């Protein structure tokens, strides 16, 4: 039997951004060759930012379309919407009773996001978000979770919870998952503020490269990326974050190593590199965007992939939840596996 991989993204935007793609999605596609893969659009997580209902529905489908367009193959992998598998919310409740207040309170993403919206705008769902994420992972006896660097702490919590369940409820309760974080692309930075991570929900759209964006805008954003005032093309994360980020993106898409790119651009100006990189990115994203549009324009085909994915996911999730409900001492419900 192949080891299992699980990962997910929130439908919080009308397009994924290049960091989602390079940090996570590229790995998702690769891992299909060696793993049994399960990928979800986590709409319940997205509720923590209280989206408009129609917006959330649209973004859920658009996010799934981008998984498929990027190369997630529904013949080999399961793709489904989190809320279609009710076991996620059920296991999250169980896990919340195994999570310490202090433990949950240490999550830096909660601290950052709640600081941004202020106490009045912060809901309890934002606080328990990492517990729902642990439920997503543990339901599928997941071995490997491909994510970007920002998810490392959440993954640690999932591992701690898994180990705790195995200690308290007996070995074999759940599989302890490993994070799969590819260092070179684990954190793609904002083009305008290259010390902050690129994000779908960034305040300045000029700092983001969106997968579904108009190619002209993509090129414009790259050409106006913030770089330092000297003009030597070199990789130095601390001293030259802007150009280093562009080199990282360039290398990931073009196949040349960062060292090779630095050698190839010796004596050239930042402008040269930006113009070339804009071409590379546009050329790379065009077929993905076209493919995503095809999926978006055939919602029945997309929904049928999601329906089949959810049915199969429920089969696995139901077994895990039944095992854990039994081990914690719940009386089995009639008709429940
Ligand atoms: P939001 O702005 O809604 O927080 P996001 O753009 O940060 O969204 P997520 O849905 O939180 O995206 O992340 C989906 C996946 O993409 C995760 O595995 C995450 O680690 C990865 N990821 C997100 N941003 C980056 C980035 N800038 N570089 C590398 N990986 C990233
Ligand atoms: N929190 C993740 C999204 C996410 C996830 C998961 C990732 C929810 N559940 C399970 C991997 C495995 C994020 O990227 N913000």
């Amino acid at each position: 039997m192949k080891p299992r991989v699980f990962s997910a993204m929130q439908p919080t935007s009308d397009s994924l951004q290049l960091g989602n793609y390079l940090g996570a999605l590229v790995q998702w596609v690769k891992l299909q060759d060696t793993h049994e893969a399960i990928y979800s659009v986590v709409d319940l997580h997205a509720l923590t930012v209280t989206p408009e209902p129609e917006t959330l529905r649209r973004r859920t489908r658009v996010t799934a379309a981008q998984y498929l367009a990027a190369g997630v193959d529904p013949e080999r992998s399961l793709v489904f919407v989190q809320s279609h598998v009710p076991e996620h919310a059920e296991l999250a409740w169980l896990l919340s009773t195994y999570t310490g207040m202090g433990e949950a309170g240490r999550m830096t993403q909660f601290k950052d996001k709640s600081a941004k919206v202020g106490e009045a705008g912060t809901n309890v769902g934002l606080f328990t978000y990492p517990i729902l994420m642990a439920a997503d992972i543990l339901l599928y006896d997941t071995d490997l979770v491909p994510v970007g660097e920002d998810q490392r702490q959440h993954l640690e919590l999932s591992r701690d919870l898994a180990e705790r369940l195995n200690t308290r409820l007996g070995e074999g309760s759940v599989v302890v998952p490993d994070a799969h974080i590819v260092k070179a692309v684990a954190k793609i930075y904002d083009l305008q503020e290259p010390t902050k991570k690129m994000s779908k929900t960034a305040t300045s759209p000029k700092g983001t490269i969106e997968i579904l964006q108009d190619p002209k805008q993509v090129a414009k954003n790259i050409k106006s990326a913030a770089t330092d005032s000297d003009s030597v093309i070199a990789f130095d994360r601390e001293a030259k974050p802007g150009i280093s980020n562009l080199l990282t993106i360039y290398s990931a898409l073009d196949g040349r190593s960062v060292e090779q790119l630095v050698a190839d651009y010796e004596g050239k100006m930042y402008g040269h590199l930006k113009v070339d990189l804009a071409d590379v990115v546009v050329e790379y994203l065009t077929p993905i965007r076209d493919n995503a549009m095809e999926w978006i324009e055939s919602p029945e085909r997309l929904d049928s992939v999601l329906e089949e994915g959810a049915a199969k996911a429920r089969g696995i999730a139901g077994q895990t939840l039944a095992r854990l409900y039994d081990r914690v001492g719940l009386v089995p419900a009639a008709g429940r596996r």
Side-chain angles (χ1 to χ4, degrees):
M1 243 179 47
K2 286 183 184 169
R4 192 171 279 152
V5 49
F6 179 94
S7 198
M9 295 190 197
Q10 300 185 75
T12 43
S13 155
D14 283 313
S15 172
L16 296 180
Q17 41 89 3
L18 197 64
N20 302 134
Y21 182 75
L22 295 178
L25 207 37
V26 169
Q27 304 309 318
W28 296 14
V29 172
K30 272 197 197 148
L31 287 165
Q32 296 179 113
D33 297 336
T34 48
H35 288 65
E36 191 188 323
I38 307 179
Y39 300 125
S40 185
V41 180
V42 285
D43 53 348
L44 297 175
H45 277 103
L47 288 176
T48 57
V49 294
T50 57
E52 288 299 324
E54 278 317 315
T55 307
L56 177 60
R57 246 189 293 280
R58 179 181 73 244
R59 290 177 173 176
T60 299
R61 291 200 174 93
V62 167
T63 302
Q66 290 171 94
Y67 293 179
L68 298 165
V72 171
D73 174 8
E75 300 286 321
R76 290 191 287 162
S77 304
L78 302 189
V79 179
F80 74 98
V81 174
Q82 184 189 34
S83 63
H84 295 178
V85 181
E87 284 82 358
H88 288 251
E90 296 185 71
L91 180 58
W93 173 258
L94 193 156
L95 291 179
S96 75
T97 67
Y98 283 78
T99 310
M101 276 304 281
E103 191 174 34
R106 280 192 290 279
M107 296 293 119
T108 55
Q109 190 170 83
F110 170 74
K111 290 191 215 170
D112 293 348
K113 292 211 169 178
S114 59
K116 245 186 229 163
V117 288
E119 198 180 339
T122 301
N123 58 62
V124 175
L126 209 54
F127 185 69
T128 56
Y129 174 111
I131 302 175
L132 179 58
M133 174 164 166
D136 298 340
I137 297 167
L138 302 187
L139 267 181
Y140 297 97
D141 289 334
T142 303
D143 297 292
L144 206 62
V145 186
V147 284
E149 179 62 41
D150 61 306
Q151 295 303 309
R152 190 183 287 280
Q153 194 189 29
H154 288 164
L155 246 296
E156 267 313 307
L157 178 70
S158 298
R159 285 174 58 85
D160 290 346
L161 286 171
E163 280 164 2
R164 196 167 302 152
L165 290 188
N166 285 340
T167 304
R168 298 218 198 136
L169 302 176
E171 281 311 310
S173 294
V174 284
V175 171
V176 181
D178 282 315
H180 181 72
I181 300 173
V182 177
K183 200 160 177 272
V185 285
K187 194 166 181 185
I188 301 298
Y189 294 84
D190 186 279
L191 300 178
Q192 288 299 322
E193 293 177 78
T195 51
K196 287 204 332 213
K197 96 169 177 112
M198 190 180 281
S199 148
K200 290 190 234 109
T201 52
T203 35
S204 103
K206 279 176 68 190
T208 311
I209 300 172
E210 292 182 350
I211 307 289
L212 300 183
Q213 205 165 28
D214 169 30
K216 283 199 208 86
Q217 189 62 46
V218 170
K220 215 169 158 185
N221 287 0
I222 294 172
K223 288 175 193 165
S224 61
T227 36
D228 53 90
S229 55
D230 92 70
S231 60
V232 183
I233 295 179
F235 189 90
D236 184 336
R237 215 23 318 137
E238 257 81 71
K240 301 167 86 64
I243 198 74
S244 299
N245 188 39
L246 297 182
L247 283 165
T248 301
I249 295 171
Y250 204 150
S251 169
L253 295 179
D254 162 281
R256 270 181 283 173
S257 67
V258 167
E259 295 73 33
Q260 187 62 49
L261 285 166
V262 168
D264 292 350
Y265 279 93
E266 201 190 329
K268 296 204 175 139
M269 317 268 274
Y270 288 161
H272 286 127
L273 184 140
K274 288 181 181 175
V275 168
D276 293 350
L277 177 60
D279 285 345
V280 168
V281 174
V282 166
E283 196 176 320
Y284 199 94
L285 293 184
T286 298
I288 301 177
R289 198 184 58 243
D290 291 349
N291 201 345
M293 288 308 169
E294 277 181 34
W295 280 104
I296 292 165
E297 281 155 20
S298 36
E300 294 85 22
R301 193 161 67 106
L302 182 62
D303 284 354
S304 106
V305 167
L306 297 175
E307 194 181 319
E308 191 180 328
K312 291 186 176 157
R314 278 202 86 170
I316 305 169
Q319 285 180 24
T320 310
L321 191 69
R323 181 170 78 229
L324 294 172
Y325 271 11
D326 177 55
R327 290 191 180 201
V328 296
L330 303 184
V331 173
R336 184 133 202 182
R337 274 180 301 165

